Amino acid sequence: MSDDFDLLETNSNEKTEKVDVNWGKAIDTMKSKLSQEDDPEVRQKILNATLDDVVHMAEKDRTTLLDAIKDLTDYQDEVGILFEKFSSLNATEQKVIDDAQKALERARVELEDAESKPDTWWNNLWGRKSKIKKAQEELKAAEKVRAAADNKAKAMFQERIENADVQTLLSELSYKSQAAVTRLKNRELEIKEVEDKLQVAIVEATKNHTKALEKKKEVEDKLEEQYALLKQARQELEDIVDKQSAEYAQAIGKVTELEQKVEELEGIKNAYTTLAASKDSFVHKHNLTIKVLTSLRSNLQTHRAKLKSDTEERLKYYDGYIVALKARTDQEFAAILEHLGVKTDEHIGETLAAMHTASAKARQDMMDNIPVHEKVMQGVYSSYAEALQEIRAKDVDIQKNFAERYGIDMKELFEDYYKADANKPSGEGDAPEGDPKPDAEEDDLLS
């Protein structure tokens, strides 16, 4: 803040922008909504607050701010405040208005250029009139676009803040507060101008009041003189005995003339009396108006000074609030990470513990399965021995059967078979070297 900062500074040399005001119900609506914000459970909410509660409270703050800014925007329309003068538009929204304004200015210049060409047959031959008509149509179109640009920008602005965060809404509220400071200052200047005019009017009215009283006094003096003359003329008229004489007629004329002068002077006297009363009345009216305007201007100064100072402080206050919200989010994020880390530690611990338990159980199962395996293998070997015994017994029967039926002792043959190399092809080396192979076509029994 600069050293020469003056909360109540009002520079009358600055240009004042006057705005037509059409008062509506917007103020009452906003007051009604604000009065509904009282909550008797606030203390209990604070005492029992959790981080999750803060989220809901912050969302309520955002909703309340959003509703208030919407109401303020609608209020601007009701009181005749230009939208772009009282709202912080972003680059895209401002560009809609700027482009429309530039297009309007270009259209005006082009129309001026077209109309500035001399109205000669040569220029008309080259389309002067058609160019003027075209430029006029383009100007009308540009004026329509410019007139709609504010509403278009406003719609974009409303759509943007609909889902805006608290920080954006607080910035918008601060911007409107700063714009209101300028507006209040301009209103003070406007009131001061009217006060100055009324002061001049009081001086003029006082002068006219004094002049009217002076003129009234002059007329009253003339009236007194004329009343004396009229009284004398009437007495002279009564003193004439011959009512038909020329002298009597002259006397009547004189009385009539004096009565006319008296009547005129009475009228002038009444006029100056009324004028003096009127000027005196307006002196009091102007004086009362000045007192009211001075009081209003003083109140506006108070509001402006407080709003300007408080807005600067609120910017810092809002910064703290935004940082606190971010810190709450970071705290919640840290808590989530911590919770996730703890859960991960638990899961890994569970997995490691299960792994160790499973490994120990697997070892125990392995140890427990050794006797079972041996028992199974014992059964396998036992079955194998039993089967082998049955095979050997059957071999004995076969040998006996062959010996009895064919006179062939099979015992040695079977013993040689069991002793033979299992990998050695059977029958090789047993056939006589000189014996030729039997003819397959003649001796193959299985063909």
Side-chain angles (χ1 to χ4, degrees):
M1 188 181 295
S2 60
D3 296 337
D4 58 349
F5 173 70
D6 182 4
L7 288 175
L8 301 179
E9 177 187 1
T10 303
N11 186 358
S12 59
N13 293 327
E14 293 182 6
K15 184 178 179 181
T16 305
E17 180 181 353
K18 296 183 179 180
V19 180
D20 294 332
V21 178
N22 299 316
W23 298 105
K25 296 181 180 180
I27 293 180
D28 293 335
T29 301
M30 283 188 287
K31 281 185 177 180
S32 176
K33 287 187 177 181
L34 290 174
S35 65
Q36 295 173 4
E37 295 301 319
D38 296 334
D39 191 346
E41 301 178 358
V42 168
R43 180 176 180 274
Q44 201 63 33
K45 287 183 178 179
I46 296 174
L47 291 174
N48 299 331
T50 64
L51 288 177
D52 291 336
D53 295 334
V54 175
V55 174
H56 298 303
M57 294 170 72
E59 179 58 28
K60 183 179 180 182
D61 291 341
R62 194 195 77 85
T63 303
T64 303
L65 272 171
L66 179 61
D67 291 341
I69 290 175
K70 286 182 178 178
D71 290 339
L72 282 171
T73 305
D74 294 336
Y75 173 64
Q76 292 170 216
D77 295 336
E78 289 202 30
V79 300
I81 303 174
L82 294 178
F83 172 72
E84 65 270 25
K85 298 294 185 181
F86 209 61
S87 293
S88 54
L89 306 180
N90 62 18
T92 303
E93 296 157 357
Q94 187 63 50
K95 190 174 185 297
V96 172
I97 297 175
D98 293 342
D99 290 349
Q101 184 62 35
K102 291 177 182 177
L104 178 59
E105 293 172 356
R106 284 196 301 269
R108 286 174 179 168
V109 171
E110 290 175 359
L111 178 59
E112 291 176 358
D113 291 343
E115 292 176 339
S116 64
K117 291 186 177 181
D119 186 7
T120 62
W121 69 272
W122 178 257
N123 289 334
N124 290 330
L125 180 64
W126 287 99
R128 174 182 176 275
K129 293 182 179 180
S130 61
K131 290 179 180 178
I132 291 176
K133 184 178 180 181
K134 181 180 178 182
Q136 289 173 342
E137 293 175 351
E138 290 178 351
L139 178 59
K140 289 181 180 179
E143 288 175 344
K144 290 181 179 179
V145 173
R146 178 62 186 90
D150 289 345
N151 290 333
K152 183 177 180 181
K154 178 181 175 182
M156 295 171 64
F157 167 81
Q158 292 283 41
E159 183 179 356
R160 174 169 61 89
I161 68 168
E162 187 71 32
N163 299 316
D165 55 15
V166 175
Q167 185 172 6
T168 302
L169 295 177
L170 287 176
S171 299
E172 177 63 23
L173 183 61
S174 299
Y175 183 90
K176 288 185 183 295
S177 297
Q178 292 167 343
V181 169
T182 303
R183 177 174 170 79
L184 291 175
K185 185 174 181 179
N186 291 338
R187 187 66 68 196
E188 291 172 39
L189 294 173
E190 184 180 358
I191 292 176
K192 188 66 173 65
E193 289 179 2
V194 175
E195 287 179 10
D196 293 341
K197 292 178 181 178
L198 288 174
Q199 288 287 4
V200 174
I202 287 177
V203 173
E204 292 297 324
T206 303
K207 289 180 180 179
N208 291 330
H209 175 261
T210 302
K211 290 180 179 179
L213 291 178
E214 291 174 353
K215 290 291 185 180
K216 177 187 174 186
K217 183 63 172 63
E218 293 177 3
V219 172
E220 287 176 342
D221 293 341
K222 291 180 179 180
L223 269 174
E224 187 177 352
E225 180 182 345
Q226 293 300 318
Y227 271 125
L229 294 174
L230 179 59
K231 183 179 180 182
Q232 181 182 352
R234 284 175 177 173
Q235 185 62 45
E236 292 176 354
L237 181 63
E238 291 178 2
D239 292 343
I240 298 174
V241 178
D242 187 2
K243 307 301 182 184
Q244 301 297 325
S245 63
E247 183 182 2
Y248 185 79
Q250 291 177 355
I252 290 177
K254 183 177 181 181
V255 169
T256 301
E257 183 180 356
L258 289 172
E259 286 178 346
Q260 285 179 328
K261 287 184 179 180
V262 168
E263 189 66 29
E264 289 177 358
L265 291 173
E266 285 288 350
I268 296 173
K269 173 189 172 183
N270 291 334
Y272 281 124
T273 302
T274 303
L275 183 59
S278 176
K279 295 302 178 183
D280 183 61
S281 174
F282 274 106
V283 167
H284 293 293
K285 290 177 182 177
H286 291 339
N287 186 51
L288 176 61
T289 306
I290 288 175
K291 288 181 179 179
V292 173
L293 290 177
T294 302
S295 176
L296 290 173
R297 182 164 57 86
S298 177
N299 290 338
L300 286 176
Q301 283 182 329
T302 303
H303 282 297
R304 177 173 60 85
K306 187 175 186 302
L307 185 59
K308 182 176 182 180
S309 178
D310 289 355
T311 299
E312 293 176 356
E313 299 300 333
R314 283 193 181 99
L315 291 175
K316 304 167 189 174
Y317 181 56
Y318 293 161
D319 286 343
Y321 175 60
I322 297 303
V323 171
L325 284 179
K326 292 178 179 178
R328 189 222 68 81
T329 303
D330 293 340
Q331 184 177 351
E332 181 71 10
F333 183 64
I336 292 172
L337 288 177
E338 175 63 19
H339 180 73
L340 180 61
V342 170
K343 285 297 180 182
T344 303
D345 295 345
E346 292 176 358
H347 294 161
I348 292 175
E350 290 173 2
T351 304
L352 290 174
M355 190 182 301
H356 183 268
T357 302
S359 178
K361 286 183 178 180
R363 177 182 54 79
Q364 290 178 349
D365 291 342
M366 179 183 65
M367 298 299 293
D368 290 340
N369 285 335
I370 289 176
V372 175
H373 177 67
E374 290 179 348
K375 186 176 180 180
V376 171
M377 291 305 296
Q378 184 178 1
V380 170
Y381 290 134
S382 175
S383 299
Y384 169 67
E386 185 179 352
L388 186 62
Q389 185 178 1
E390 292 178 358
I391 291 172
R392 289 183 180 277
K394 193 171 183 179
D395 283 344
V396 171
D397 292 339
I398 293 173
Q399 293 173 21
K400 185 178 179 181
N401 182 269
F402 267 79
E404 291 177 354
R405 293 177 64 184
Y406 304 107
I408 300 174
D409 187 1
M410 298 297 294
K411 181 177 181 181
E412 292 182 1
L413 187 148
F414 274 95
E415 287 180 351
D416 292 341
Y417 173 78
Y418 286 118
K419 293 178 181 178
D421 187 359
N423 296 324
K424 183 178 179 181
S426 62
E428 290 186 3
D430 295 337
E433 294 181 2
D435 294 341
K437 292 182 178 180
D439 191 348
E441 296 181 357
E442 298 177 357
D443 297 335
D444 189 359
L445 298 175
L446 300 179
S447 61

